[in-house]
Amino acid sequence: MTGGPAAGHDDGAEAVRSGRLTRAPYRREPYVRAGIGPETVDGKAIAWTRAEVQVKWVDRDGAMRTAWVPASAVRRISRDESAWRDPYDDYAFYYPDGAADAAE
């Protein structure tokens, strides 16, 4: 599996030029579960259009990966549901009632 764009995808450049790309604020990206090839990975949605989501995750070897995935293969999950949690998260954003202390 590569960390590059999906086959036939232009890595989001056209979406950026057209203004159709959405990004969440850094450290506040939504957690997602995505089907990437034969695997299902838990990661974060770092950018998206109506048709595709750029997912960031850590692979089995511990390397950070990103890939553009069809939106239909991506489902939003909570941080607590994710098998991988970004250590740089804005905890107050994910746990506004202070539940981060219990989650750690």
Side-chain angles (χ1 to χ4, degrees):
M1 174 182 340
T2 66
H9 187 72
D10 69 356
D11 78 2
E14 177 57 33
V16 171
R17 285 191 294 273
S18 69
R20 297 176 311 189
L21 187 77
T22 302
R23 291 188 184 276
Y26 176 63
R27 298 175 43 193
R28 295 180 175 194
E29 301 93 344
Y31 278 87
V32 296
R33 185 159 290 144
I36 300 177
E39 293 187 68
T40 299
V41 301
D42 289 354
K44 286 183 148 186
I46 58 174
W48 56 90
T49 68
R50 297 190 120 185
E52 295 179 294
V53 179
Q54 187 178 24
V55 178
K56 167 178 93 170
W57 76 100
V58 174
D59 71 12
R60 292 181 191 150
D61 296 326
M64 184 64 67
R65 302 284 184 190
T66 63
W68 283 95
V69 180
S72 62
V74 179
R75 175 176 72 85
R76 189 169 182 166
I77 61 173
S78 72
R79 183 177 191 272
D80 291 337
E81 288 178 88
S82 181
W84 170 74
R85 294 185 187 133
D86 189 336
Y88 299 105
D89 280 342
D90 177 348
Y91 294 107
F93 171 77
Y94 291 100
Y95 303 104
D97 61 355
D101 298 330
E104 294 305 308

XYZ file of all heavy atoms in Angstrom:
808
model
N 0.842 -1.174 0.000
C 0.000 0.000 0.000
C 0.879 1.227 0.000
O 1.866 1.291 0.714
C -0.887 -0.025 1.244
C -1.685 1.218 1.388
S -2.709 1.287 2.873
C -2.870 -0.356 3.387
N 0.514 2.191 -0.776
C 1.292 3.422 -0.821
C 0.581 4.507 -0.051
O -0.608 4.412 0.218
C 1.485 3.904 -2.269
O 0.207 4.266 -2.788
C 2.141 2.843 -3.116
N 1.277 5.550 0.278
C 0.681 6.679 0.945
C 0.273 7.755 -0.033
O -0.092 8.842 0.363
N 0.334 7.473 -1.317
C 0.042 8.458 -2.333
C -1.427 8.573 -2.646
O -2.265 7.943 -2.019
N -1.741 9.395 -3.620
C -3.131 9.600 -3.985
C -3.740 8.351 -4.595
O -3.050 7.470 -5.082
C -3.071 10.736 -5.013
C -1.673 10.779 -5.479
C -0.817 10.176 -4.414
N -5.063 8.295 -4.549
C -5.784 7.185 -5.165
C -5.534 7.200 -6.668
O -5.232 8.234 -7.256
C -7.271 7.321 -4.868
N -5.651 6.053 -7.286
C -5.418 5.948 -8.730
C -6.267 6.956 -9.481
O -7.462 7.085 -9.251
C -5.738 4.537 -9.196
N -5.620 7.709 -10.360
C -6.333 8.684 -11.171
C -6.635 9.991 -10.456
O -7.266 10.878 -11.003
N -6.190 10.143 -9.241
C -6.479 11.368 -8.491
C -5.309 12.337 -8.626
O -4.161 11.935 -8.673
C -6.712 11.033 -7.018
C -7.169 12.224 -6.238
N -8.416 12.742 -6.371
C -6.525 12.999 -5.368
C -8.515 13.808 -5.578
N -7.371 13.969 -4.960
N -5.624 13.613 -8.646
C -4.582 14.630 -8.844
C -4.034 15.176 -7.534
O -3.533 16.264 -7.498
C -5.119 15.759 -9.724
C -6.183 16.589 -9.024
O -6.562 16.258 -7.880
O -6.635 17.571 -9.616
N -4.139 14.461 -6.449
C -3.689 14.796 -5.089
C -4.365 16.035 -4.517
O -3.861 16.671 -3.621
C -2.163 14.878 -4.995
C -1.538 16.157 -5.535
O -2.248 17.065 -5.986
O -0.310 16.247 -5.497
N -5.532 16.371 -4.992
C -6.303 17.469 -4.424
C -5.992 18.828 -5.000
O -6.624 19.809 -4.628
N -5.035 18.932 -5.913
C -4.639 20.240 -6.445
C -5.815 20.950 -7.114
O -6.009 22.154 -6.912
C -3.478 20.093 -7.421
N -6.591 20.239 -7.908
C -7.744 20.869 -8.568
C -8.787 21.304 -7.544
O -9.366 22.378 -7.658
C -8.378 19.901 -9.579
C -9.627 20.450 -10.246
C -9.416 21.780 -10.967
O -8.325 22.017 -11.505
O -10.371 22.596 -10.987
N -9.005 20.496 -6.519
C -9.968 20.861 -5.483
C -9.522 22.124 -4.751
O -10.340 22.987 -4.425
C -10.153 19.710 -4.498
N -8.225 22.254 -4.502
C -7.700 23.453 -3.852
C -7.918 24.667 -4.747
O -8.403 25.711 -4.298
C -6.206 23.294 -3.505
C -5.615 24.611 -3.041
C -6.016 22.221 -2.456
N -7.592 24.540 -6.026
C -7.753 25.661 -6.952
C -9.214 26.090 -7.074
O -9.506 27.271 -7.186
C -7.203 25.297 -8.329
C -5.696 25.283 -8.401
C -5.212 25.175 -9.836
N -5.566 23.896 -10.433
C -4.842 22.789 -10.343
N -3.721 22.801 -9.661
N -5.218 21.668 -10.921
N -10.110 25.134 -7.043
C -11.524 25.463 -7.233
C -12.217 25.890 -5.940
O -13.365 26.313 -5.963
C -12.262 24.261 -7.821
O -12.330 23.225 -6.858
N -11.529 25.745 -4.805
C -12.134 26.129 -3.532
C -13.080 25.081 -2.977
O -13.810 25.352 -2.032
N -13.076 23.883 -3.531
C -13.982 22.833 -3.066
C -13.390 22.001 -1.938
O -14.038 21.107 -1.447
C -14.341 21.903 -4.216
C -15.099 22.576 -5.331
C -15.315 21.600 -6.440
N -14.017 20.964 -6.717
C -13.758 20.178 -7.730
N -14.691 19.888 -8.576
N -12.560 19.664 -7.911
N -12.188 22.259 -1.538
C -11.521 21.473 -0.515
C -11.800 22.059 0.867
O -11.726 23.268 1.059
C -10.009 21.466 -0.766
C -9.198 20.561 0.128
C -9.355 19.120 -0.344
C -7.746 20.963 0.086
N -12.106 21.194 1.824
C -12.334 21.612 3.210
C -11.267 20.975 4.074
O -10.906 19.824 3.866
C -13.724 21.164 3.684
O -14.709 21.714 2.826
C -13.986 21.612 5.106
N -10.769 21.737 5.032
C -9.808 21.225 6.010
C -10.275 21.605 7.407
O -10.747 22.718 7.618
C -8.421 21.826 5.791
C -7.740 21.365 4.541
C -6.297 21.875 4.511
N -5.641 21.523 3.290
C -5.046 20.363 3.055
N -5.025 19.451 3.982
N -4.469 20.118 1.905
N -10.100 20.695 8.338
C -10.389 20.997 9.746
C -9.179 21.710 10.337
O -8.064 21.559 9.836
C -10.647 19.705 10.507
N -9.377 22.464 11.415
C -8.225 23.088 12.075
C -7.240 22.025 12.570
O -7.642 20.942 13.007
C -8.845 23.835 13.256
C -10.271 24.031 12.879
C -10.642 22.848 12.043
N -5.958 22.352 12.496
C -4.909 21.443 12.972
C -5.184 21.029 14.410
O -5.579 21.856 15.234
C -3.554 22.146 12.864
C -2.399 21.350 13.412
C -2.043 20.129 12.847
C -1.670 21.813 14.492
C -0.976 19.387 13.340
C -0.601 21.094 14.996
C -0.270 19.876 14.424
O 0.776 19.148 14.916
N -5.001 19.731 14.704
C -5.202 19.122 16.015
C -6.680 18.931 16.360
O -7.002 18.485 17.444
C -4.499 19.910 17.123
C -3.006 19.966 16.943
C -2.313 20.834 17.953
N -2.866 20.600 19.283
C -2.631 21.376 20.319
N -1.849 22.416 20.204
N -3.156 21.108 21.498
N -7.584 19.267 15.416
C -9.020 19.098 15.636
C -9.684 18.333 14.492
O -10.882 18.429 14.289
C -9.689 20.466 15.780
C -9.225 21.221 16.994
C -9.916 22.549 17.091
N -9.552 23.206 18.319
C -10.186 24.250 18.804
N -11.215 24.762 18.162
N -9.799 24.792 19.926
N -8.893 17.581 13.763
C -9.411 16.842 12.615
C -10.327 15.720 13.096
O -10.068 15.100 14.123
C -8.270 16.233 11.798
C -7.271 17.236 11.269
C -6.074 17.462 12.181
O -6.118 17.088 13.379
O -5.081 18.018 11.706
N -11.393 15.435 12.361
C -12.290 14.352 12.782
C -11.633 12.982 12.600
O -10.900 12.753 11.639
C -13.495 14.498 11.853
C -13.056 15.344 10.725
C -11.887 16.148 11.184
N -11.900 12.105 13.543
C -11.442 10.723 13.430
C -12.358 9.971 12.481
O -13.573 10.215 12.452
C -11.429 10.048 14.801
C -10.184 10.391 15.584
C -10.129 11.532 16.371
C -9.053 9.589 15.503
C -8.979 11.857 17.066
C -7.897 9.906 16.192
C -7.868 11.041 16.964
O -6.715 11.363 17.636
N -11.767 9.053 11.711
C -12.529 8.287 10.731
C -12.039 6.844 10.693
O -10.923 6.538 11.112
C -12.422 8.891 9.308
C -13.047 10.272 9.246
C -10.978 8.920 8.821
N -12.898 5.983 10.178
C -12.534 4.600 9.846
C -12.701 4.494 8.341
O -13.752 4.834 7.803
C -13.443 3.636 10.579
C -13.076 2.182 10.387
C -13.647 1.317 11.489
N -12.939 1.592 12.747
C -13.536 1.585 13.945
N -14.818 1.314 14.048
N -12.840 1.837 15.036
N -11.643 4.052 7.651
C -11.643 4.054 6.187
C -11.222 2.708 5.624
O -10.294 2.075 6.143
C -10.699 5.139 5.671
N -11.889 2.319 4.566
C -11.487 1.143 3.816
C -10.484 1.577 2.763
O -10.817 2.340 1.856
N -9.248 1.126 2.915
C -8.179 1.484 1.985
C -7.624 0.182 1.426
O -6.947 -0.557 2.151
C -7.090 2.322 2.678
C -7.702 3.612 3.216
C -5.941 2.613 1.717
C -6.756 4.494 3.988
N -7.945 -0.095 0.178
C -7.578 -1.389 -0.400
C -8.261 -2.484 0.402
O -9.423 -2.357 0.779
N -7.524 -3.538 0.749
C -8.132 -4.634 1.509
C -8.182 -4.359 3.021
O -8.721 -5.146 3.777
C -7.207 -5.815 1.209
C -5.875 -5.184 0.969
C -6.180 -3.867 0.294
N -7.613 -3.251 3.466
C -7.526 -2.935 4.894
C -8.592 -1.944 5.336
O -9.097 -1.154 4.545
C -6.175 -2.291 5.214
C -4.993 -3.191 5.055
C -3.745 -2.490 5.554
O -3.643 -2.255 6.772
O -2.900 -2.170 4.715
N -8.860 -1.966 6.627
C -9.639 -0.918 7.271
C -8.693 -0.247 8.256
O -8.040 -0.932 9.047
C -10.854 -1.496 8.012
O -11.693 -2.147 7.063
C -11.641 -0.403 8.704
N -8.603 1.079 8.184
C -7.696 1.811 9.066
C -8.466 2.873 9.832
O -9.477 3.392 9.364
C -6.533 2.468 8.277
C -5.730 1.424 7.534
C -7.027 3.538 7.336
N -7.985 3.168 11.030
C -8.500 4.275 11.818
C -7.487 5.403 11.708
O -6.281 5.179 11.853
C -8.667 3.887 13.286
C -9.818 2.922 13.509
O -10.569 2.642 12.552
O -9.967 2.442 14.650
N -7.974 6.585 11.451
C -7.095 7.730 11.313
C -7.875 9.019 11.426
O -8.919 9.065 12.077
N -7.364 10.047 10.772
C -8.010 11.356 10.795
C -8.274 11.827 9.373
O -7.479 11.579 8.473
C -7.118 12.376 11.503
C -7.077 12.222 12.996
C -6.217 13.321 13.571
C -6.724 13.725 14.936
N -5.982 14.878 15.448
N -9.381 12.527 9.208
C -9.693 13.174 7.938
C -9.028 14.539 7.970
O -9.401 15.399 8.757
C -11.201 13.315 7.758
N -8.000 14.722 7.131
C -7.272 15.991 7.166
C -7.735 16.955 6.084
O -7.465 18.142 6.159
C -5.750 15.777 7.119
C -5.308 15.012 5.883
C -5.287 15.058 8.384
C -3.792 14.898 5.732
N -8.454 16.436 5.087
C -9.027 17.278 4.030
C -10.110 16.458 3.348
O -10.084 15.234 3.390
C -7.969 17.703 3.023
N -11.067 17.151 2.723
C -12.116 16.420 2.027
C -12.827 17.286 1.010
O -12.819 18.514 1.099
C -13.129 15.813 2.994
C -13.770 16.806 3.919
C -14.915 17.518 3.721
C -13.296 17.198 5.215
N -15.174 18.326 4.794
C -14.199 18.141 5.734
C -12.191 16.826 5.988
C -14.041 18.729 6.983
C -12.035 17.418 7.230
C -12.946 18.351 7.715
N -13.380 16.590 0.036
C -14.298 17.166 -0.941
C -15.587 16.363 -0.800
O -15.674 15.466 0.042
C -13.754 17.041 -2.377
O -13.748 15.655 -2.745
C -12.361 17.629 -2.531
N -16.567 16.631 -1.641
C -17.798 15.835 -1.576
C -17.547 14.386 -1.975
O -18.242 13.485 -1.539
C -18.858 16.431 -2.483
C -19.251 17.807 -2.039
C -20.437 18.264 -2.773
N -21.415 18.480 -1.708
C -22.643 18.793 -1.889
N -23.126 18.904 -3.083
N -23.444 18.989 -0.875
N -16.537 14.134 -2.798
C -16.301 12.799 -3.343
C -15.183 12.025 -2.659
O -15.178 10.802 -2.686
C -15.992 12.900 -4.835
N -14.208 12.722 -2.056
C -13.032 12.058 -1.511
C -12.616 12.653 -0.176
O -12.899 13.819 0.109
C -11.858 12.180 -2.472
C -12.075 11.467 -3.783
C -10.898 11.646 -4.701
O -10.652 12.793 -5.122
O -10.228 10.646 -4.981
N -11.906 11.839 0.602
C -11.390 12.254 1.904
C -9.905 11.924 1.940
O -9.502 10.816 1.590
C -12.115 11.519 3.054
C -11.555 11.937 4.403
C -13.619 11.740 2.984
N -9.092 12.883 2.366
C -7.673 12.605 2.569
C -7.514 12.122 4.005
O -7.760 12.870 4.958
C -6.809 13.837 2.319
C -5.333 13.518 2.363
C -4.465 14.725 2.080
O -4.869 15.865 2.277
N -3.251 14.479 1.643
N -7.141 10.858 4.149
C -7.032 10.220 5.459
C -5.563 10.114 5.850
O -4.714 9.776 5.034
C -7.677 8.808 5.425
C -7.517 8.107 6.769
C -9.149 8.908 5.041
N -5.294 10.406 7.119
C -3.947 10.272 7.697
C -4.039 9.191 8.768
O -4.945 9.197 9.598
C -3.548 11.605 8.326
C -2.324 11.557 9.222
C -1.973 12.929 9.753
C -2.599 13.180 11.096
N -2.102 14.389 11.751
N -3.093 8.232 8.723
C -3.075 7.164 9.718
C -1.652 6.654 9.883
O -0.768 6.978 9.110
C -4.018 6.027 9.314
C -3.513 5.128 8.230
C -2.944 3.895 8.389
C -3.524 5.375 6.822
N -2.602 3.367 7.167
C -2.954 4.254 6.182
C -3.956 6.432 6.018
C -2.797 4.158 4.802
C -3.811 6.348 4.641
C -3.241 5.220 4.047
N -1.442 5.839 10.907
C -0.150 5.200 11.138
C -0.285 3.742 10.727
O -1.182 3.042 11.195
C 0.274 5.326 12.614
C 1.545 4.540 12.879
C 0.472 6.784 12.990
N 0.624 3.270 9.848
C 0.534 1.888 9.363
C 1.127 0.912 10.382
O 1.615 1.314 11.451
C 1.162 1.742 7.979
C 2.676 1.864 7.960
O 3.329 1.848 9.027
O 3.227 1.981 6.854
N 1.103 -0.363 10.045
C 1.577 -1.423 10.961
C 3.048 -1.280 11.318
O 3.482 -1.768 12.356
C 1.351 -2.784 10.324
C -0.090 -3.140 10.206
C -0.250 -4.516 9.598
N -1.640 -4.707 9.264
C -2.065 -5.443 8.281
N -1.205 -6.075 7.506
N -3.355 -5.563 8.034
N 3.827 -0.637 10.453
C 5.252 -0.442 10.715
C 5.538 0.845 11.478
O 6.693 1.179 11.718
C 6.026 -0.433 9.394
C 5.934 -1.764 8.676
O 5.873 -2.812 9.357
O 5.905 -1.759 7.431
N 4.486 1.585 11.832
C 4.662 2.824 12.577
C 4.907 4.053 11.715
O 5.212 5.117 12.234
N 4.762 3.922 10.392
C 4.976 5.059 9.495
C 3.660 5.814 9.285
O 2.600 5.212 9.161
C 5.507 4.571 8.147
N 3.741 7.136 9.260
C 2.571 7.964 8.984
C 2.263 7.884 7.500
O 3.156 8.015 6.669
C 2.849 9.418 9.396
C 1.670 10.343 9.229
S 0.277 9.941 10.284
C 0.929 10.278 11.897
N 1.012 7.670 7.157
C 0.559 7.560 5.769
C -0.590 8.519 5.525
O -1.317 8.876 6.452
C 0.062 6.146 5.462
C 1.060 5.067 5.679
C 2.039 5.075 4.567
N 2.955 3.957 4.728
C 4.024 3.809 4.030
N 4.343 4.673 3.102
N 4.822 2.794 4.239
N -0.759 8.920 4.274
C -1.932 9.658 3.851
C -2.371 9.105 2.507
O -1.544 8.644 1.714
C -1.683 11.176 3.706
O -0.729 11.395 2.687
C -1.228 11.798 5.015
N -3.671 9.139 2.266
C -4.209 8.709 0.977
C -5.562 9.364 0.771
O -6.294 9.625 1.727
C -4.359 7.189 0.931
N -5.873 9.630 -0.491
C -7.202 10.084 -0.867
C -8.072 8.845 -1.035
O -7.689 7.907 -1.734
C -7.151 10.892 -2.156
C -6.638 12.277 -1.927
C -5.363 12.711 -2.073
C -7.395 13.392 -1.481
N -5.269 14.037 -1.753
C -6.509 14.488 -1.381
C -8.734 13.577 -1.148
C -6.926 15.754 -0.967
C -9.146 14.844 -0.741
C -8.246 15.905 -0.649
N -9.223 8.837 -0.370
C -10.113 7.679 -0.328
C -11.501 8.137 -0.758
O -11.937 9.229 -0.373
C -10.161 7.113 1.116
C -11.059 5.909 1.218
C -8.755 6.790 1.610
N -12.221 7.314 -1.523
C -13.604 7.689 -1.861
C -14.409 7.933 -0.579
O -14.295 7.168 0.390
C -14.139 6.478 -2.623
C -12.925 5.785 -3.148
C -11.846 6.034 -2.124
N -15.192 8.989 -0.554
C -15.970 9.340 0.634
C -16.879 8.193 1.070
O -17.122 8.019 2.270
C -16.776 10.604 0.371
N -17.340 7.406 0.129
C -18.223 6.286 0.472
C -17.512 5.203 1.284
O -18.166 4.371 1.913
C -18.809 5.677 -0.798
O -17.773 5.169 -1.623
N -16.184 5.207 1.313
C -15.405 4.215 2.053
C -14.934 4.744 3.406
O -14.127 4.105 4.083
C -14.202 3.770 1.228
N -15.444 5.921 3.807
C -14.997 6.572 5.034
C -16.198 6.814 5.938
O -17.255 7.259 5.493
C -14.301 7.917 4.717
C -13.849 8.606 5.993
C -13.123 7.700 3.780
N -16.010 6.512 7.241
C -17.067 6.733 8.223
C -16.460 7.458 9.419
O -15.399 7.087 9.920
C -17.632 5.374 8.643
C -18.642 5.415 9.732
C -19.223 4.025 10.006
N -18.330 3.112 10.667
C -18.159 3.041 11.988
N -18.773 3.882 12.798
N -17.356 2.130 12.499
N -17.138 8.500 9.882
C -16.650 9.238 11.044
C -16.856 8.408 12.305
O -17.883 7.755 12.473
C -17.381 10.569 11.157
C -16.772 11.460 12.211
C -17.314 12.852 12.133
N -16.654 13.667 13.134
C -16.694 14.955 13.174
N -17.377 15.615 12.271
N -16.072 15.632 14.106
N -15.855 8.444 13.196
C -15.923 7.761 14.484
C -15.459 8.731 15.566
O -14.857 9.762 15.272
C -15.067 6.474 14.501
C -13.587 6.785 14.252
C -15.603 5.450 13.505
C -12.647 5.586 14.413
N -15.691 8.379 16.819
C -15.202 9.221 17.911
C -13.732 8.920 18.167
O -13.199 7.876 17.764
C -16.008 8.963 19.187
O -15.683 7.697 19.726
N -13.069 9.817 18.847
C -11.659 9.605 19.191
C -11.500 8.334 20.017
O -10.565 7.569 19.824
C -11.126 10.815 19.963
C -9.651 10.710 20.304
C -9.167 11.972 21.018
N -7.726 11.963 21.104
C -7.040 11.404 22.099
N -7.675 10.810 23.081
N -5.719 11.445 22.101
N -12.430 8.093 20.923
C -12.344 6.919 21.781
C -12.543 5.611 21.015
O -12.069 4.563 21.449
C -13.342 7.014 22.927
C -12.962 8.103 23.917
O -11.773 8.473 23.991
O -13.863 8.592 24.628
N -13.253 5.640 19.894
C -13.443 4.437 19.070
C -12.205 4.100 18.247
O -12.046 2.960 17.809
C -14.596 4.638 18.085
C -15.966 4.636 18.680
C -16.988 4.901 17.602
O -17.432 3.918 16.963
O -17.322 6.081 17.386
N -11.357 5.074 18.010
C -10.221 4.892 17.108
C -9.136 4.019 17.725
O -8.768 4.189 18.893
C -9.631 6.258 16.752
O -8.551 6.105 15.863
N -8.600 3.100 16.921
C -7.486 2.257 17.360
C -6.193 3.069 17.461
O -5.267 2.674 18.168
C -7.297 1.093 16.389
N -6.118 4.188 16.733
C -4.963 5.084 16.787
C -5.438 6.461 17.238
O -6.471 6.962 16.777
C -4.300 5.213 15.417
C -3.275 6.312 15.384
C -2.040 6.292 15.942
C -3.423 7.598 14.781
N -1.396 7.481 15.711
C -2.240 8.309 15.000
C -4.450 8.225 14.073
C -2.036 9.605 14.546
C -4.249 9.521 13.623
C -3.046 10.190 13.852
N -4.708 7.058 18.147
C -5.038 8.410 18.610
C -3.825 9.295 18.430
O -2.717 8.959 18.852
C -5.464 8.377 20.071
C -6.754 7.613 20.234
C -7.260 7.668 21.639
N -8.399 6.774 21.754
C -8.556 5.915 22.725
N -7.668 5.828 23.682
N -9.623 5.155 22.754
N -4.055 10.432 17.817
C -2.995 11.397 17.563
C -2.540 11.997 18.894
O -3.342 12.574 19.623
C -3.539 12.484 16.637
C -2.474 13.421 16.124
O -1.418 13.569 16.769
O -2.708 14.013 15.060
N -1.255 11.873 19.242
C -0.789 12.410 20.525
C -0.806 13.938 20.584
O -0.694 14.510 21.660
C 0.647 11.876 20.643
C 1.063 11.610 19.236
C -0.187 11.219 18.498
N -0.969 14.602 19.442
C -0.965 16.062 19.412
C -2.371 16.658 19.415
O -2.537 17.846 19.173
C -0.183 16.550 18.193
C 1.250 16.103 18.245
C 1.703 15.075 17.427
C 2.146 16.681 19.138
C 3.021 14.637 17.486
C 3.463 16.248 19.205
C 3.889 15.229 18.381
O 5.180 14.802 18.448
N -3.384 15.855 19.675
C -4.762 16.355 19.683
C -4.956 17.510 20.658
O -4.296 17.588 21.700
C -5.733 15.239 20.112
C -6.065 14.284 18.998
O -5.854 14.620 17.819
O -6.549 13.182 19.303
N -5.899 18.364 20.316
C -6.376 19.413 21.210
C -7.411 18.740 22.115
O -8.568 18.594 21.752
C -7.006 20.537 20.380
C -7.602 21.639 21.219
O -7.752 21.466 22.452
O -7.958 22.680 20.645
N -6.976 18.277 23.270
C -7.857 17.485 24.140
C -9.113 18.234 24.545
O -10.179 17.634 24.657
C -7.101 17.002 25.373
C -6.020 16.016 25.032
C -4.687 16.390 25.083
C -6.340 14.730 24.619
C -3.692 15.492 24.735
C -5.345 13.826 24.273
C -4.027 14.222 24.340
O -3.042 13.336 23.990
N -9.025 19.523 24.766
C -10.203 20.304 25.149
C -11.256 20.296 24.047
O -12.456 20.338 24.325
C -9.799 21.733 25.488
N -10.836 20.209 22.792
C -11.781 20.139 21.678
C -12.514 18.797 21.674
O -13.722 18.741 21.530
C -11.043 20.336 20.351
C -11.898 20.075 19.147
C -12.829 21.013 18.731
C -11.790 18.888 18.441
C -13.640 20.777 17.630
C -12.585 18.641 17.328
C -13.512 19.585 16.929
N -11.775 17.706 21.847
C -12.379 16.376 21.809
C -13.144 16.046 23.089
O -14.057 15.231 23.077
C -11.316 15.307 21.551
C -10.759 15.378 20.157
C -9.540 15.992 19.900
C -11.460 14.856 19.080
C -9.034 16.066 18.621
C -10.958 14.936 17.792
C -9.754 15.537 17.564
O -9.256 15.632 16.276
N -12.749 16.641 24.212
C -13.373 16.380 25.499
C -13.729 17.697 26.182
O -13.102 18.082 27.178
C -12.430 15.577 26.388
C -11.978 14.277 25.770
C -10.704 14.155 25.248
C -12.836 13.189 25.701
C -10.284 12.969 24.657
C -12.424 11.995 25.121
C -11.153 11.885 24.599
O -10.746 10.708 24.033
N -14.725 18.410 25.675
C -15.028 19.737 26.222
C -15.483 19.714 27.679
O -15.330 20.711 28.379
C -16.151 20.252 25.304
C -16.721 19.040 24.663
C -15.616 18.031 24.586
N -15.969 18.580 28.177
C -16.415 18.517 29.567
C -15.340 18.010 30.517
O -15.606 17.681 31.669
C -17.662 17.652 29.686
C -17.425 16.217 29.247
O -16.315 15.915 28.765
O -18.346 15.399 29.382
N -14.096 17.910 30.024
C -12.983 17.481 30.845
C -12.802 15.980 30.941
O -12.026 15.501 31.740
N -13.483 15.214 30.118
C -13.396 13.761 30.155
C -12.047 13.236 29.659
O -11.795 12.056 29.755
C -14.525 13.137 29.334
N -11.179 14.103 29.159
C -9.871 13.659 28.645
C -9.061 12.995 29.736
O -8.319 12.052 29.495
C -9.109 14.832 28.048
N -9.183 13.475 30.972
C -8.426 12.891 32.064
C -8.789 11.424 32.251
O -7.935 10.587 32.480
C -8.673 13.661 33.355
C -8.227 15.106 33.266
O -7.270 15.378 32.505
O -8.836 15.965 33.904
N -10.055 11.105 32.110
C -10.508 9.728 32.255
C -10.134 8.877 31.053
O -9.957 7.670 31.176
C -12.020 9.697 32.456
N -10.005 9.507 29.870
C -9.724 8.764 28.641
C -8.248 8.423 28.504
O -7.894 7.557 27.730
C -10.182 9.572 27.424
N -7.399 9.084 29.199
C -5.951 8.876 29.038
C -5.457 7.718 29.830
O -5.694 7.234 30.752
C -5.186 10.145 29.411
C -5.466 11.260 28.454
C -5.197 10.904 27.001
O -4.105 10.415 26.676
O -6.076 11.093 26.181
